Amino acid sequence: MVTQPVQQTSPTFVGMPKFPVAAREALANTQQRTNLHNATHTIREKRAAVVGEVDDWEALRVAGAEAKDEALHHLGDYLEQLEESLTARGATVHWARDAAEANRIVIDIARAKEVDEVVKVKSMATQEIELNEALEEAGIHAWETDLAELIVQLFGDRPSHILVPAIHRNRTEIRDVFLRQMGEFGRPAPADLTDDPARLAEAARLHLREKFLRAKVAVSGANFAIADTGTLVVVESEGNGRMCLTLPETLISVVGIEKVLPTWDDLSPMLQLLPRSSTGERMNPYTTMWSGVHDGDGPQEVHVILLDNGRTHVLADSVGRQALRCIRCSACLNVCPVYERTGGHAYGSVYPGPIGAVLNPQLRGTASEVDQSLPYASSLCGACFDACPVRINIPELLVELRGTVAEQGGHRAESAAMKAAAWVLSDPRRLAVAQRGATTAGRLIGKRTIRKVPGLGAWTDARDVPTPPKETFRQWWAREHGDGTTTQRAADPGGRADGIPTSNDGTEPGGER
């Protein structure tokens, strides 16, 4: 069992752009921004309605947070108890330090079963370790059976939302990719397919049915793992997960070590918090639980891979470990103004939005430029904390990570710019000189937008620089209200900054010193 922090070794998504570049591309995609706005606002409204029905939602949040904290504070003990409970019920438990070990275990099991395909339940842990790509390299095809994940797979795309991976696609796009791609992956879509949601779901069912019936090996994750009973829990909305969890002969579950809960009673608040926060429902349509192997019912060989992949490194941080409470509900994404405008691809990971902005740098470290930039991908408005069902203080973590990036020498250009700004703003004479320079530049530039500034690097890759004004407020005041006042130049030792009008008795217009 892994009990000490380990170095993160799993790869990041191949070809994923840096956050500022991807964010700029997303802002230019008006269709994607419209899709994101409509979807997140719809989920947000549904969530508000069902949360409002709970007598004491805050008490429920506290109960969820306390259950997760209890597990995290004694994680080694509860993981050992989980292993014992699973083993007693016929499951085989594997420990994976990183992505490479987890992928190797899955591939070895699949090869032992002599299969060239597996069916998959939607799982963020398997996306995190890039299991599909590893299986393809080993000659084993992984079929995504969740409708949204199937859509993403057919597009050759990446998920952009924790709950709704294809949130950036609309119905017309989905119909077109079904018609174009389904035949290459098995049963083709009907030629007369429309973009009606019911017809699209029917086409997906027909496409997947034969895969469910012939698959000998399935791969899943788990929403929760109960230590005292050895029970794994998957919640879903479509029923495809239950098909994967019951029909194949062999089931492999890849479970992050932070998914453990101490007791069966701790599951109760989670099953109230999760559906309300994720889909805006009182309960999930399908909640599947299994504990090892059952004679004559379900898979007769069950493997559980307990995945570290940087989690013990996060656990070692007394402040940062609260990020491991996350139950992957996506509530923070749906209220985040940054996510709504950029989408999930900009975050360079399976974990987008506010939770991704803190979890990715914690799991992977802040050595790369994208992980250095993620803690800054927030307005610190605090909406994510208010929405989080297990009370993760994401703004606090963002500030802490920004400090870590600064201490490690990241964002040197930004740090230099802030020091320069402090030097200018701390002296009225220096400010006056800077203002004169800015207004001169504003008159020269005119109405043109500044797209790029040498030396600012990635900062201007995602932002337009405001055009300097042709006149400062102080200059405007002196011009509009000059009667009865004296404008003194910054060079005058007895005066104020350039353009500040003072009255004859030395007081400023509109009030006393």
Side-chain angles (χ1 to χ4, degrees):
M1 181 178 65
V2 180
T3 58
Q4 297 297 322
V6 295
Q7 184 176 1
Q8 175 66 23
T9 58
S10 64
T12 56
F13 282 160
V14 176
M16 290 300 288
K18 298 175 182 177
F19 180 84
V21 177
R24 189 182 187 94
E25 294 173 353
L27 292 173
N29 188 335
T30 55
Q31 181 63 64
Q32 176 174 298
R33 290 179 64 186
T34 299
N35 293 350
L36 288 168
H37 175 85
N38 292 340
T40 55
H41 281 250
T42 298
I43 297 172
R44 191 187 308 177
E45 291 170 4
K46 290 177 62 180
R47 175 190 178 278
V50 295
V51 166
E53 297 173 352
V54 180
D55 291 336
D56 195 339
W57 176 252
E58 189 59 26
L60 198 59
R61 291 178 74 203
V62 170
E66 289 178 345
K68 293 293 289 186
D69 282 346
E70 167 63 22
L72 294 172
H73 291 160
H74 306 282
L75 187 57
D77 295 335
Y78 287 120
L79 287 173
E80 289 181 345
Q81 184 181 12
L82 176 65
E83 180 183 30
E84 292 173 1
S85 299
L86 285 166
T87 303
R89 288 162 176 77
T92 301
V93 177
H94 309 261
W95 297 86
R97 182 180 295 272
D98 55 24
E101 285 189 9
N103 290 337
R104 189 191 70 244
I105 294 168
V106 176
I107 292 169
D108 288 347
I109 296 170
R111 283 176 172 166
K113 297 302 173 184
E114 299 181 341
V115 299
D116 60 3
E117 65 177 0
V118 300
V119 289
K120 285 185 75 249
V121 186
K122 180 181 182 298
S123 163
M124 302 201 69
T126 61
Q127 291 170 358
E128 174 191 329
I129 64 176
E130 298 189 327
L131 176 61
N132 287 12
E133 291 82 353
L135 286 169
E136 288 290 348
E137 289 182 7
I140 303 168
H141 192 77
W143 300 111
E144 294 289 354
T145 62
D146 175 83
L147 177 56
E149 291 289 357
L150 172 63
I151 293 167
V152 169
Q153 186 175 45
L154 292 176
F155 270 107
D157 201 353
R158 295 288 184 179
S160 61
H161 191 277
I162 290 176
L163 176 68
V164 195
I167 196 173
H168 56 294
R169 301 291 185 179
N170 59 34
R171 291 184 295 173
T172 301
E173 291 177 302
I174 295 168
R175 179 204 61 197
D176 292 345
V177 79
F178 276 15
L179 291 171
R180 187 171 63 250
Q181 293 292 110
M182 269 190 173
E184 297 184 15
F185 291 93
R187 184 188 182 104
D192 61 346
L193 182 66
T194 69
D195 63 1
D196 177 67
R199 290 294 309 279
L200 294 173
E202 179 186 20
R205 273 198 307 274
L206 294 174
H207 175 77
L208 291 170
R209 184 168 296 162
E210 59 179 308
K211 297 176 175 54
F212 286 132
L213 294 175
R214 73 173 183 237
K216 296 183 180 299
V217 176
V219 177
S220 81
N223 293 97
F224 308 104
I226 314 302
D228 66 346
T229 61
T231 303
L232 300 186
V233 183
V234 165
V235 297
E236 52 160 334
S237 298
E238 300 169 12
N240 59 289
R242 183 162 295 180
M243 298 285 281
C244 292
L245 297 168
T246 56
L247 291 179
E249 299 169 0
T250 301
L251 174 61
I252 308 168
S253 300
V254 182
V255 184
I257 57 175
E258 83 284 10
K259 296 298 184 69
V260 67
L261 290 175
T263 70
W264 184 264
D265 290 340
D266 294 315
L267 183 62
S268 176
M270 298 304 177
L271 293 183
Q272 299 175 70
L273 290 166
L274 181 55
R276 285 177 167 84
S277 299
S278 58
T279 57
E281 298 171 297
R282 297 178 184 88
M283 63 181 295
N284 293 96
Y286 296 89
T287 300
T288 305
M289 306 179 188
W290 70 101
S291 302
V293 177
H294 297 271
D295 292 338
D297 183 21
Q300 295 304 293
E301 189 171 327
V302 174
H303 296 264
V304 179
I305 302 171
L306 297 176
L307 175 69
D308 186 326
N309 210 34
R311 285 159 173 79
T312 51
H313 176 74
V314 183
L315 187 67
D317 184 341
S318 59
V319 177
R321 72 165 63 113
Q322 62 181 298
L324 296 179
R325 292 181 198 159
C326 178
I327 57 175
R328 311 293 192 263
C329 69
S330 76
C332 61
L333 281 69
N334 298 326
V335 298
C336 178
V338 176
Y339 172 84
E340 183 183 314
R341 288 157 179 79
T342 64
H345 292 151
Y347 292 81
S349 167
V350 66
Y351 304 116
I355 189 61
V358 296
L359 194 56
N360 294 321
Q362 288 180 293
L363 290 174
R364 304 187 301 208
T366 54
S368 69
E369 186 173 348
V370 66
D371 287 312
Q372 289 179 2
S373 68
L374 285 177
Y376 295 85
S378 170
S379 64
L380 297 180
C381 65
C384 49
F385 171 69
D386 292 338
C388 179
V390 287
R391 295 178 53 82
I392 302 172
N393 194 335
I394 294 177
E396 178 186 33
L397 297 182
L398 288 167
V399 172
E400 182 187 35
L401 284 167
R402 291 179 185 186
T404 300
V405 170
E407 290 172 0
Q408 294 175 348
H411 290 279
R412 293 183 179 89
E414 182 173 331
S415 298
M418 292 299 103
K419 290 179 180 178
W423 182 79
V424 170
L425 295 173
S426 64
D427 186 281
R429 291 174 176 78
R430 291 195 287 263
L431 176 59
V433 173
Q435 287 177 325
R436 284 199 299 272
T439 54
T440 300
R443 288 192 291 270
L444 293 174
I445 293 171
K447 296 182 179 180
R448 287 177 295 178
T449 301
I450 305 174
R451 302 290 187 189
K452 188 78 173 178
V453 176
L456 291 186
W459 199 91
T460 53
D461 285 341
R463 305 167 178 85
D464 294 332
V465 178
T467 302
K470 298 178 181 178
E471 184 179 46
T472 68
F473 171 78
R474 288 165 170 172
Q475 291 167 341
W476 171 85
W477 184 280
R479 176 170 53 78
E480 292 293 323
H481 304 278
D483 293 341
T485 63
T486 301
T487 300
Q488 299 178 329
R489 298 180 182 276
D492 180 357
R496 294 286 303 276
D498 185 29
I500 298 182
T502 59
S503 64
N504 291 332
D505 63 359
T507 59
E508 298 179 9
E512 299 179 355
R513 288 184 189 270

